[in-house]
Amino acid sequence: RAPPTVLPGQRELGGAGSRAMGRLVALSLLGIALALLGERLLALRNRLKASREVESVDLPNCHLIKGIEAGADDIDILPNGLAFFSVGLKCPGLHSFSPDKPGGILMMDLKEENPRALELRISRGFNLASFNPHGISTFIDRDDTVYLFVVNHPEFKNTVEIFKFEEEENSLLHLKTIKHELLPSVNDIIAVGPAHFYATNDHYFSDPFLKYLETYLNLHWANVVYYSPDEVKVVAEGFDAANGINISPDKKYIYVADILAHEIHVLEKHPNMNLTQLKVLKLDTLVDNLSIDPSSGDIFVGCHPNGQKLFVYDPNNPPSSEVLRIQNILSEKPTVTTVYANNGSVLQGSSVASVYDRKLLIGTLYHRALYCEL
């Protein structure tokens, strides 16, 4: 049988058609990818509350605390009025007013007439040069020993340091460094024993690029981990970016702030230390660290009204500050009050607000700290 006749240029036409189809598919995929990226970018701006401005709510008796110039990310206050500050946090991509100075722990006695912040000495053998403290928590043992737990990022890695507070010497004795694969991106911590704690991971990954991708894609892989010398386990997950954590005065509930979801989660604590979610309180701001008023059980929250200003620092348009008070969080309708708000002219990037005997301390991610009398 005679072979089929091939007209001149027919093969070339077929090749050109397949190339055109390939380009069309590639263009379609690029369009879909760009649309997806645009949608993710818009979603991220919403999660950062990038358009939000705040109206000032002033407190009458406030002054900036001397000696805190480059952030006091977290504050914890003992029942006797001694307040601990973690200062000088540095994170990749985040502004710093003292990039070359290591972080430290300061202390202030709120029972004094004019309290001053003093830096605590740390025992020999601990690497002070790479000290980069983040969230902190205190625990008082049955024999009245005070332990200070500190989330640390030496060279941007993740550890938890346990110190014994020696009040007579105004010093911290370093006892232990904890590293664990379930603690890849630790943000905050609440101590529940002399070597036992719950910690939040604000990301699932530890690698900076993967963290960025995780945030951008809104994967909700952040979690809460329980750590003890005998057992380490994930006890809550599915957070956008788990941040501040604290415990109710009766020790029955754990509170977790999800900063990019603008939520506070109430979790019930069980005898085996597992957690189950009871409720979620939705707010209109980026919630950072949580502090509990021991007398009332009210939650004081350091918040970022506009997260974009926080992460993209502009001295002419600085990040604002906001402190919320949440009363009766377990009730059907908790009461949420703005205690303090500032556009950045006084205080930039409030990350924590701790209260003691009608005194309020407000710390920031990388700026100053405020002492107020309520």
Side-chain angles (χ1 to χ4, degrees):
R1 213 166 54 175
T5 307
V6 179
L7 297 172
Q10 191 173 1
R11 187 173 292 137
E12 287 82 348
L13 276 172
S18 62
R19 281 199 299 274
M21 182 60 74
R23 284 173 183 163
L24 196 62
V25 169
L27 207 58
S28 299
L29 288 173
L30 181 64
I32 291 165
L34 288 173
L36 184 65
L37 285 172
E39 186 270 330
R40 290 291 89 187
L41 190 61
L42 199 62
L44 182 61
R45 279 182 56 83
N46 289 336
R47 286 154 67 211
L48 290 172
K49 295 277 178 190
S51 303
R52 186 168 177 238
E53 299 294 337
V54 71
E55 288 186 25
S56 286
V57 175
D58 292 318
L59 287 166
N61 303 304
C62 290
H63 65 264
L64 292 165
I65 299 171
K66 284 181 184 174
I68 298 178
E69 314 285 339
D73 175 76
D74 204 4
I75 301 168
D76 202 13
I77 307 175
L78 293 175
N80 63 3
L82 292 179
F84 296 91
F85 300 75
S86 73
V87 300
L89 174 66
K90 289 153 199 76
C91 297
L94 202 64
H95 183 72
S96 174
F97 284 106
S98 63
D100 302 320
K101 187 184 174 189
I105 302 293
L106 305 189
M107 190 187 75
M108 179 185 263
D109 188 349
L110 297 178
K111 285 192 168 169
E112 289 180 359
E113 188 73 28
N114 296 300
R116 294 183 307 130
L118 304 168
E119 185 156 4
L120 293 176
R121 289 185 300 108
I122 296 178
S123 58
R124 287 181 184 177
F126 180 74
N127 188 348
L128 285 170
S130 67
F131 193 31
N132 191 11
H134 199 167
I136 60 173
S137 178
T138 54
F139 180 80
I140 304 172
D141 214 348
R142 290 192 185 113
D143 62 0
D144 291 332
T145 302
V146 176
Y147 296 96
L148 179 69
F149 291 64
V150 182
V151 174
N152 186 21
H153 303 294
E155 295 159 357
F156 303 132
K157 293 181 174 67
N158 290 269
T159 66
V160 172
E161 314 292 348
I162 304 179
F163 299 93
K164 179 184 172 187
F165 173 52
E166 299 183 319
E167 190 173 344
E168 291 75 24
E169 288 85 34
N170 274 348
S171 68
L172 296 169
L173 175 66
H174 184 248
L175 301 178
K176 192 176 184 182
T177 296
I178 294 166
K179 299 177 189 174
H180 197 276
E181 61 183 10
L182 289 181
L183 298 169
S185 185
V186 195
N187 187 301
D188 197 17
I189 190 168
I190 180 69
V192 291
H196 312 65
F197 58 84
Y198 290 98
T200 56
N201 285 304
D202 51 24
H203 292 81
Y204 179 81
F205 296 107
S206 54
D207 176 79
F209 175 73
L210 292 176
K211 279 186 177 186
Y212 176 78
L213 208 59
E214 184 186 338
T215 301
Y216 194 77
L217 295 174
N218 196 5
L219 294 179
H220 282 254
W221 288 358
N223 60 27
V224 177
V225 169
Y226 170 71
Y227 178 96
S228 77
D230 306 316
E231 182 181 33
V232 187
K233 57 185 176 180
V234 175
V235 288
E237 54 193 337
F239 299 96
D240 189 343
N243 197 298
I245 187 167
N246 218 312
I247 193 166
S248 61
D250 61 10
K251 313 297 182 195
K252 289 181 180 177
Y253 305 101
I254 296 286
Y255 307 129
V256 178
D258 191 336
I259 186 167
L260 290 178
H262 326 126
E263 296 170 345
I264 295 174
H265 293 245
V266 181
L267 305 151
E268 188 174 1
K269 183 167 77 73
H270 301 289
N272 63 1
M273 308 311 277
N274 286 343
L275 303 176
T276 52
Q277 185 161 288
L278 273 188
K279 66 180 294 186
V280 178
L281 179 64
K282 293 195 172 292
L283 298 162
D284 189 38
T285 187
L286 281 73
V287 284
D288 201 325
N289 287 311
L290 309 172
S291 299
I292 311 300
D293 182 345
S295 58
S296 65
D298 295 350
I299 304 172
F300 282 77
V301 195
C303 303
H304 307 289
N306 184 321
Q308 182 157 305
K309 289 185 184 182
L310 187 75
F311 295 115
V312 185
Y313 186 76
D314 176 0
N316 298 315
N317 188 18
S320 42
S321 292
E322 186 175 33
V323 173
L324 299 182
R325 177 188 189 179
I326 299 160
Q327 295 167 281
N328 305 313
I329 193 164
L330 294 171
S331 69
E332 286 274 316
K333 287 191 175 176
T335 306
V336 180
T337 315
T338 303
V339 176
Y340 176 82
N342 179 262
N343 62 5
S345 59
V346 176
L347 202 66
Q348 302 176 11
S350 55
S351 56
V352 64
S354 289
V355 70
Y356 175 84
D357 191 25
R358 301 203 57 75
K359 298 176 181 75
L360 179 69
L361 302 174
I362 308 172
T364 63
L365 199 53
Y366 45 67
H367 190 232
R368 308 289 304 272
L370 207 59
Y371 172 98
C372 302
E373 293 184 9
L374 295 171

